[in-house]
Amino acid sequence: MPSTSTQETSPQADASLSHGLKQRHLSMIALGGVIGAGLFVGSGAGIAAAGPSIIIAYVLSGLLVMLVMRMLGEMSAAYPSSGSFSAHAERAIGPWAGFTAGWAFWVLLCTAVGLEGIGAAKIVSGWLPGTPEWAWVALFMVVFCATNLAAVKNFGEFEFWFAALKVLAISLFLVLGVLAILGVLPGTDAPGTSNLSDFMPGGGEGLVIGLLASVFAYGGLETVTIAAAESEDPVRGVASAVRTAMWRIALFYVGSMAVVVTLVPWDSKEVVEKGPYVATLDHLGIPGAGQLMNVVVLVALLSAMNANIYGASRIAYSLVERGQGPKALGRVSGGVPRIAVLASSVFGFLCVLLSYWRPDDVFTWLLNMIGAVILVVWIFIAVSQLRLRRRVEREAPEKLVVRMWAFPVLTWVALAGMAAIFVLMAREPDTRVQLYSTGAMTLVLAVVGYVWQRARARD
């Protein structure tokens, strides 16, 4: 258990950060944060494996994510912190847990920044043949590093407009899709259920692959609880974001998957090659819609870069404030942890260089290492919520602005779901390596965190 002094100082960890995010920023970050590159691009592989049963996969994983977000929302409304789940894990389990969850997530976010930069560069260089991809990645890195070095409201404004465009695009996609399904879109015939007749072509194994793909597509929802600590009203911001999570996940993820598999044959090559959204719009024959969706995918990738640099820098700052990292990363000027922003951006750019220098070994190893980090984070969230809920009820019940449904039953259900996903990952050759690599990194971080905790206790 953490010492009393840790519990008292943790809530003050964000005292020197600015509070420049307005409620409209936080609301749109919560809304647009659901719509990521994983949905626009990565869902194609899930459809190819699971067929129309990808709908079931997204429903199941969506239910799990709703439970995780509810648990995280309960703790973040009670104890707003830029460290989010890392700070909650330290408070509930001990400093070693906060150290492990925080630094594992930092590596995940920084690596994701590099991956998103590569994806965005491929789109732009496709439009402008002959331009080097690395130059575009460097440009994106400079822009978003500069954005995050400035006042936090700049990050909020970028994300507000990025998210607004994503929400508008996917809303239009859903409207066009429903009209086409009903047969009232000019130039299209209602497909009926012809594309749904072979609902589970890959059998149980295909559904498992689709389920694993859908779980990792939900990554990034945690950013809103990190951002809430720098908003004008952190408690209200978290409560509002978490309470709308259910319909957002149902509409954007499950709804769009249902539209795609109803309109386009699941085994169409375009679903994987172009992405399910571009393939669907091209299938409907809407002029220029496919290229327009590519612009939206680019925006989603750039938005994720921006958000991940922000999230990584705040997680690093929070860890240092709690004495769990290099002190230099905790320096704040103008309300922004600028050294942490630079360090997170540099690590992200290093990942890009590794993808060019050592694509067959070092970069692949790095990708495998972060493959299951999000599940590790979710486990820390669930265990932390189990332990903190009773404490808050006892010591400060007024802080339970957001409450986990049917506590503790649904918390245990969520933990059982995470354990089941780990078992499924161990059964699949492609994900087994990720599971073991992530496990090794988590174990190393836990050992380092525990040794640091014991040394600090002796001091």
Side-chain angles (χ1 to χ4, degrees):
M1 295 294 293
S3 65
T4 305
S5 61
T6 301
Q7 294 179 38
E8 289 173 350
T9 58
S10 290
Q12 304 303 319
D14 308 312
S16 56
L17 291 180
S18 69
H19 290 77
L21 292 178
K22 300 182 183 297
Q23 186 59 37
R24 69 180 179 90
H25 293 147
L26 209 59
S27 298
M28 193 56 78
I29 289 169
L31 194 62
V34 182
I35 311 167
L39 177 61
F40 283 123
V41 182
S43 54
I47 293 172
S53 67
I54 192 70
I55 299 171
I56 296 176
Y58 270 88
V59 168
L60 292 174
S61 54
L63 289 172
L64 177 60
V65 171
M66 287 178 195
L67 296 179
V68 171
M69 284 302 294
R70 190 76 185 185
M71 289 184 275
L72 183 56
E74 178 182 286
M75 294 184 292
S76 296
Y79 303 107
S81 168
S82 62
S84 187
F85 53 84
S86 171
H88 306 324
E90 176 173 348
R91 183 185 298 274
I93 306 169
W96 71 268
F99 180 96
T100 305
W103 285 116
F105 197 66
W106 184 82
V107 173
L108 169 66
L109 291 183
C110 293
T111 306
V113 167
L115 289 175
E116 287 141 2
I118 293 168
K122 286 184 184 297
I123 292 176
V124 178
S125 60
W127 293 335
L128 301 170
T131 55
E133 289 182 11
W134 66 266
W136 288 111
V137 176
L139 175 63
F140 298 147
M141 283 288 185
V142 168
V143 168
F144 293 119
C145 181
T147 299
N148 279 278
L149 285 172
V152 71
K153 67 180 181 180
N154 287 8
F155 160 76
E157 283 298 322
F158 263 91
E159 280 306 292
F160 178 86
W161 293 109
F162 278 154
L165 180 57
K166 289 189 289 182
V167 170
L168 176 63
I170 204 165
S171 299
L172 286 174
F173 174 84
L174 289 170
V175 169
L176 290 173
V178 170
L179 291 177
I181 290 170
L182 297 175
V184 296
L185 188 69
T188 61
D189 297 320
T193 58
S194 59
N195 292 326
L196 302 175
S197 56
D198 190 8
F199 192 75
M200 200 179 293
E205 185 177 346
L207 179 60
V208 166
I209 295 172
L211 178 63
L212 294 176
S214 65
V215 165
F216 298 112
Y218 283 111
L221 289 172
E222 304 81 8
T223 302
V224 69
T225 59
I226 296 173
E230 291 183 82
S231 68
E232 297 170 332
D233 189 345
V235 175
R236 186 165 68 95
V238 168
S240 174
V242 170
R243 283 170 182 155
T244 58
M246 183 175 292
W247 71 263
R248 286 185 279 119
I249 289 171
L251 179 65
F252 294 141
Y253 276 83
V254 180
S256 58
M257 286 299 102
V259 166
V260 170
V261 297
T262 302
L263 291 173
V264 183
W266 67 270
D267 55 354
S268 171
K269 292 181 180 179
E270 283 75 14
V271 170
V272 176
E273 292 173 357
K274 296 180 179 180
Y277 294 84
V278 174
T280 301
L281 292 173
D282 283 347
H283 181 76
L284 295 177
I286 301 173
Q291 276 303 319
L292 189 59
M293 186 53 73
N294 272 329
V295 174
V296 176
V297 173
L298 175 63
V299 168
L301 288 164
L302 296 179
S303 170
M305 284 185 73
N306 189 35
N308 287 340
I309 290 174
Y310 170 83
S313 65
R314 269 37 176 201
I315 284 286
Y317 166 79
S318 176
L319 286 162
V320 171
E321 279 293 289
R322 290 179 276 131
Q324 299 177 356
K327 290 184 179 179
L329 295 180
R331 292 175 188 165
V332 175
S333 59
V336 176
R338 289 177 173 152
I339 303 298
V341 169
L342 287 171
S344 302
S345 301
V346 168
F347 191 95
F349 195 69
L350 176 62
C351 293
V352 175
L353 296 178
L354 287 175
S355 74
Y356 290 117
W357 293 337
R358 306 293 293 270
D360 297 327
D361 47 18
V362 177
F363 188 63
T364 303
W365 171 79
L366 186 62
L367 293 182
N368 285 330
M369 192 172 70
I370 64 167
V373 165
I374 198 65
L375 281 172
V376 173
V377 167
W378 288 355
I379 287 174
F380 275 115
I381 289 172
V383 174
S384 299
Q385 192 266 339
L386 272 176
R387 305 192 71 170
L388 276 183
R389 172 64 175 266
R390 298 300 188 200
R391 192 185 306 173
V392 178
E393 285 179 333
R394 206 169 47 245
E395 299 174 359
E398 71 280 359
K399 290 186 175 182
L400 286 173
V401 179
V402 179
R403 288 175 178 265
M404 178 60 181
W405 305 300
F407 176 82
V409 175
L410 287 183
T411 302
W412 284 109
V413 168
L415 279 167
M418 295 170 208
I421 293 172
F422 275 127
V423 171
L424 293 175
M425 289 186 72
R427 291 180 55 190
E428 295 294 326
D430 291 342
T431 54
R432 190 180 301 138
V433 177
Q434 295 179 10
L435 182 63
Y436 295 159
S437 299
T438 300
M441 181 183 74
T442 304
L443 181 61
V444 169
L445 286 173
V447 169
V448 172
Y450 183 73
V451 170
W452 165 84
Q453 178 179 325
R454 293 297 299 269
R456 186 177 178 184
R458 285 196 300 269
D459 292 341

